[in-house]
Amino acid sequence: AMPTVRRVIFCLVSLGSIGSTVSFAPLKSLANYPSFKGIASDKGVVSFVRDAPHHVSFAPNLRSKATPRHLTIDQAELNQRIARFYDDSSTLWEEVWGEHMHMGHYGEAGTEKKTDLKAQIDMVDRLLDWGIGGDKPPADVLDVGCGVGGSSRHIARRFGSKVTGITLSFLQCEHAQQRSEKEGFSDNTRFLVADALSLPFEDNSFDLVWSLESGEHMADKAQWLSECHRVLRPGGRLLIATWVHRATTEPSCDHRENRQLILSERALLDKICRYYALPAWVELADYQAAASALRFSSICTADWTAAVAPFWPVVWRS
Ligand code: SAH
């Protein structure tokens, strides 16, 4: 039989080129976050499942099956740190910022005056406009790295879609569910604790896979993109907005190995990695290469560094 050709569209927006326009300082203020202390490493086991409250739904592959192959000890440990980071920091973020855990969009040139909440909502809308435009609205959506579900509910509201959100953090999953119940979205949003590198969904399940500032946490970009590709229906779309470092002529999927980044840039990226539980940074071309290797069609990218530049200074002031 002929192999089925599944054309799946890839759209990616880069948010910030380290070393040029975006400044991530002052990182020091994060040093007191509880999540950076005493992270237990339970070798080879996804042990954050253990402490889960009952009312959080598990993705079955995290509860019952053996450790997935991609979960080398490093990946398992990284996933624990990510879960811990968001378990520890989300409540405070929600108190100060609300349900959106991502940058704001201040107009193409970053010059529009608006409240920061409005800028965050505009970010979701501009990304949907850019990635979907006037095409048929997606019926089934996967929000990869959903935080407390800000985008999930926004997409459900705008398109009437059914949205599934996944996160590694039990606390976020719980808060996302509570917020959906409160706001009347229980029927069209659901949230699971699940790993984006090993998605607990059938092939061809979604029309849109949405990732807003979660890609930077994925150590194996190719594995992640291939999982997204697998769960998308033919004609479906992967829409990503993520942090990347500035372009070089030797993309390497690892900022530490990239000799074109100067030492101070690599040192800054290392710092950000430690604070935010991130693996090595990549550049836009790394994503493009991974997407072409997976035969995504219509690969489009854009650089929104300028649009989000006003956001960081505001975060640090808060
Ligand atoms: N998209 C949300 C949250 C961004 S924060 C928003 O914009 O509000 C990053 C999110 O990615 C967190 O919810 C974190 O749990 C999730 N994440 C990181 N790595 C993940 C992984 N491997 N699998 C699933 N979720 C992941």
Side-chain angles (χ1 to χ4, degrees), residues 111-129:
T111 49
E112 286 174 13
K113 297 278 167 274
K114 55 180 94 169
T115 65
D116 301 306
L117 174 63
K118 174 77 167 59
Q120 287 181 310
I121 294 168
D122 285 353
M123 178 72 200
V124 179
D125 276 325
R126 293 300 77 78
L127 196 56
L128 291 168
D129 294 345

Side-chain angles (χ1 to χ4, degrees), residues 70 75 79 82-83 86 90 93 99-103 124 143-151 166-169 172 193-199 210-219 224:
H70 78 272
Q75 181 69 54
N79 279 4
I82 295 167
Y86 289 106
S90 294
W93 179 277
E99 63 178 341
H100 290 281
M101 301 183 162
H102 56 83
M103 291 174 155
V124 179
D143 184 353
V144 173
C146 62
V148 296
S151 299
I166 64 161
T167 169
L168 290 173
S169 154
Q172 286 190 332
V193 171
D195 185 359
L197 295 163
S198 165
L199 291 170
W210 165 269
S211 163
L212 181 47
E213 292 179 44
S214 67
E216 43 286 22
H217 285 292
M218 314 299 171
W224 175 47

